[in-house]
Amino acid sequence: MSDKLPAGIELLWAGLDGPEPREGLSVSKIVRTAVELADAGGLEAVSMAKIADRLGFTAMSLYRHVPGKDEVLLLMLDRVSAVPPELDDPGDDWRLGLERWCRAQWTMLRAHSWIPHLPITGPPITPNQLAWTDRALRALRGTGLTEADKAGVVLLVAGHLLTAARMSTELGAAASSESVAAHSALLGELVDARRFPALRTAIEAGAFDYPEGTAEPDREFGYAFGLDRILDGVAALIQRRAATAGAAR
């Protein structure tokens, strides 16, 4: 393994799936406990002291297994982000393949709502992060896009999902049908047609109303609309690249 890997990353590439000791600490126990804390209380619930307390050890004892909290966060992400086997074969339709990839990503992000709040310390480098990138690139095979185009598309789509997931988490109860209805009513009172003519038109058209036919917050609505527009743009890019290639022959 390369000695240029950041601290802690070598733990992932060395593999953490070996048998756990029944007693004492291990990297796997530390990471599993950290994930449990984050799932229950968000990233603010994760600290070396809280992990150690949950496991019945001192915080200092953790440092014999992991370099620090930053490395624990990376290990946490990789632990919960295994790629579903159904993404191994994206099929022949690039758009359907990417949509399946996005649905799987969205499921993971919603199951572990702390993921979008992780600090970004660099490009994907953990085994599972790279596996997700690989599956998305596979979906774009046969499109005629350059490898740089494909990488750009994957980055754009992944960034959109992270942003939508973070907004969905932070809005929380504010995304309920009752709160959205109250907000729409308040906008109707505050927005004057003379001062905000375009906004007033949108309000009167119901643009800010709760989507009809949904009994609970439509968690997917926030990412689906943007994703469709992004994929429309990708389709246009594919057509443009094909036209350029045809003209060059």
Side-chain angles (χ1 to χ4, degrees):
M1 189 61 59
S2 171
D3 58 4
K4 295 182 180 180
L5 285 175
I9 295 295
E10 68 276 6
L11 293 171
L12 287 168
W13 285 100
L16 298 177
D17 297 328
E20 286 189 9
R22 291 187 178 182
E23 299 181 0
L25 280 173
S26 68
V27 174
S28 185
K29 286 182 179 179
I30 292 169
V31 176
R32 184 179 67 247
T33 301
V35 169
E36 291 171 356
L37 290 170
D39 284 345
L43 283 184
E44 60 270 21
V46 179
S47 70
M48 300 298 273
K50 291 177 181 177
I51 296 170
D53 183 66
R54 173 74 70 91
L55 290 169
F57 291 86
T58 65
M60 288 304 298
S61 62
L62 270 62
Y63 291 99
R64 291 198 291 269
H65 300 271
V66 291
K69 181 179 175 181
D70 289 344
E71 290 72 31
V72 170
L73 294 178
L74 276 174
L75 293 165
M76 289 167 59
L77 174 60
D78 202 73
R79 184 181 184 91
V80 302
S81 58
V83 178
E86 58 266 25
L87 295 184
D88 290 346
D89 181 8
D92 296 327
D93 187 314
W94 70 266
R95 184 160 186 153
L96 289 178
L98 274 187
E99 287 173 347
R100 288 173 56 219
W101 185 90
C102 289
R103 282 195 297 271
Q105 275 265 324
W106 186 256
T107 297
M108 178 186 70
L109 293 171
R110 295 300 300 150
H112 305 285
S113 57
W114 46 269
I115 294 178
H117 298 270
L118 287 170
I120 298 175
T121 57
I125 197 171
T126 70
N128 280 329
Q129 282 180 307
L130 295 180
W132 278 101
T133 303
D134 175 80
R135 301 309 185 273
L137 290 171
R138 287 189 197 183
L140 292 166
R141 65 187 179 187
T143 58
L145 295 178
T146 67
E147 296 305 317
D149 286 339
K150 295 174 188 175
V153 168
V154 174
L155 181 61
L156 179 61
V157 170
H160 170 66
L161 289 172
L162 279 173
T163 300
R166 181 164 185 164
M167 289 181 63
S168 179
T169 300
E170 292 181 348
L171 283 173
S176 68
S177 57
E178 294 81 6
S179 60
V180 171
H183 179 254
S184 296
L186 181 60
L187 280 179
E189 295 178 7
L190 294 175
V191 176
D192 178 81
R194 179 176 299 177
R195 187 176 183 184
F196 307 107
L199 181 55
R200 185 69 205 183
T201 299
I203 292 171
E204 292 178 354
F208 299 98
D209 293 346
Y210 193 76
E212 294 184 5
T214 51
E216 297 180 0
D218 184 359
R219 298 293 189 180
E220 294 192 13
F221 183 78
Y223 98 82
F225 179 83
L227 177 62
D228 284 343
R229 304 293 73 75
I230 290 172
L231 297 185
D232 288 346
V234 175
L237 177 62
I238 291 172
Q239 292 178 349
R240 188 161 63 248
R241 290 284 188 261
T244 302
R249 293 194 185 112

